[in-house]
Amino acid sequence: MISITAPIVVFSAIVSLALALVSPSGARAQADDGWQPQRGQTGKDVMWLPTPDELAYRLLEVARVGPNDLVYDLGAGDGKIAIAAAQRHGARAVGIEYNARLAAFAQRQVERAGVADRVRILQGDLFQTDFSSATVLTLYLLDELNQQLRPRVLGMKPGTRVVSNSFAMGDWEPDQVIRVGTQVGYYWLVPANVAGEWLIEGLSNVEGRAKLALVQRHQRLAGTIEMEGRTLPLLSPRVEGARLEWRYVDSSNLLKAVRVEVQSDRLEGEMAPPYGMVESIVERIAVRGRRVGG
């Protein structure tokens, strides 16, 4: 008897292999296995240029990335920054890359680096991506793209740290310029929105409430405080993340400093104690307030 089982099995295997080779998923998988990104290759809005290792590491250091952070890398490229955030700082990271082949390459780099439990590379459009949960944001885009993203970045939680390779954010001045050899980067701390009028309680020697008026452009502030029938200029007001600080000269010609934390339309903190009183017990003067006008 002639057996036809073996020829059928062999034929089935050949057909399956042929289908895998010609199917889009099979062909893409095989092609991507050996695919390498080329320096200067063009993408949706930018060309791919890898961030030098030294600058990538310094950006993460300046951003004070740690194990409790969630880093979003917009324009992830080969995944270098997301991988470094996990390997060197123990952070979780998500990279967003528009180019599908580059995103697949970056994910393979993640797996080779052994950090797939902490890092994901997603293929997608960063303008359609929700990155609001990030505690650290890293960018390597262009000035005009950074400026398009700026309203969303400024709307993130106060204290979110932002670093960018080479490109700035228009008139949002960086809090720090980062230089590594001939390379440059920028660092920002997302400021709380503190603009408007506030009613303040607890200022020393003030009966009732004082009125604080603040004008804000990003992290830069100006303003006045109305108290005891006088309107006083604020001296060096500043906002760093959710922390707001201002100074004024009171009716006794003494410089006073107030430090508070801002939560939406509320603030709470204290008058700063006088200098040189380290060994004395100084009563804490609590300060609180609420926003009454934008």
Side-chain angles (χ1 to χ4, degrees):
M1 179 183 294
I2 300 174
S3 174
I4 60 172
T5 303
I8 291 175
V9 170
V10 172
F11 178 74
S12 297
I14 292 172
V15 170
S16 298
L17 178 59
L19 290 173
L21 289 174
V22 300
S23 68
S25 58
R28 182 167 60 250
Q30 290 205 4
D32 282 351
D33 279 344
W35 183 84
Q36 293 286 329
Q38 301 299 311
R39 182 183 181 89
Q41 69 181 47
T42 57
K44 177 175 179 283
D45 297 301
V46 298
M47 69 172 60
W48 179 70
L49 294 171
T51 300
D53 290 351
E54 296 80 4
L55 180 59
Y57 301 156
R58 182 62 180 148
L59 292 174
L60 295 174
E61 289 170 1
V62 170
R64 305 183 307 283
V65 175
N68 295 325
D69 280 315
L70 173 59
V71 178
Y72 264 75
D73 184 25
L74 305 187
D78 60 3
K80 177 185 295 184
I81 289 181
I83 291 169
Q87 282 186 328
R88 299 172 68 92
H89 301 275
R92 294 176 297 129
V94 178
I96 307 299
E97 173 53 49
Y98 184 82
N99 184 294
R101 299 190 81 184
L102 191 52
F105 175 82
Q107 184 60 44
R108 291 197 300 276
Q109 296 293 90
V110 166
E111 293 163 3
R112 290 177 185 132
V115 291
D117 60 328
R118 301 190 68 79
V119 178
R120 292 181 299 145
I121 305 296
L122 304 180
Q123 188 277 323
D125 187 333
L126 58 89
F127 288 99
Q128 303 299 320
T129 299
D130 179 8
F131 50 82
S132 59
S133 60
T135 58
V136 177
L137 200 61
T138 63
L139 310 169
Y140 189 12
L141 303 170
L142 296 173
D143 282 334
E144 54 267 33
L145 298 180
N146 283 359
Q147 291 187 57
Q148 289 178 44
L149 284 173
R150 189 175 71 185
R152 291 179 62 189
V153 176
L154 285 166
M156 296 177 73
K157 182 178 179 180
T160 301
R161 289 146 282 157
V162 183
V163 287
S164 173
N165 178 356
S166 302
F167 299 102
M169 287 268 194
D171 72 346
W172 183 11
E173 300 172 85
D175 294 300
Q176 184 176 339
V177 177
I178 304 160
R179 299 190 186 280
V180 179
T182 60
Q183 303 294 319
V184 65
Y186 302 99
Y187 166 79
W188 299 265
L189 192 66
V190 173
N193 174 13
V194 298
E197 293 187 350
W198 301 76
L199 292 182
I200 308 297
E201 297 178 345
L203 297 183
S204 179
N205 300 323
V206 178
E207 293 185 4
R209 297 172 176 175
K211 181 179 288 186
L212 177 70
L214 292 172
V215 177
Q216 180 177 12
R217 182 64 177 176
H218 311 315
Q219 77 272 49
R220 305 301 180 194
L221 302 178
T224 60
I225 189 162
E226 184 180 325
M227 53 194 298
E228 300 177 317
R230 300 190 304 158
T231 299
L232 307 172
L234 300 183
L235 306 178
S236 303
R238 63 182 182 181
V239 59
E240 295 180 354
R243 174 172 288 187
L244 172 63
E245 183 175 312
W246 73 85
R247 293 170 175 78
Y248 64 93
V249 177
D250 70 5
S251 58
S252 300
N253 203 35
L254 294 176
L255 181 66
K256 299 291 186 178
V258 182
R259 297 170 186 153
V260 298
E261 293 286 324
V262 178
Q263 292 284 344
S264 186
D265 291 331
R266 301 279 175 172
L267 60 79
E268 187 171 342
E270 62 184 355
M271 297 281 293
Y275 292 102
M277 301 291 286
V278 176
E279 296 180 359
S280 302
I281 298 176
V282 180
E283 181 183 1
R284 179 181 181 273
I285 302 174
V287 174
R288 61 184 60 87
R290 62 184 177 88
R291 183 161 19 206
V292 294

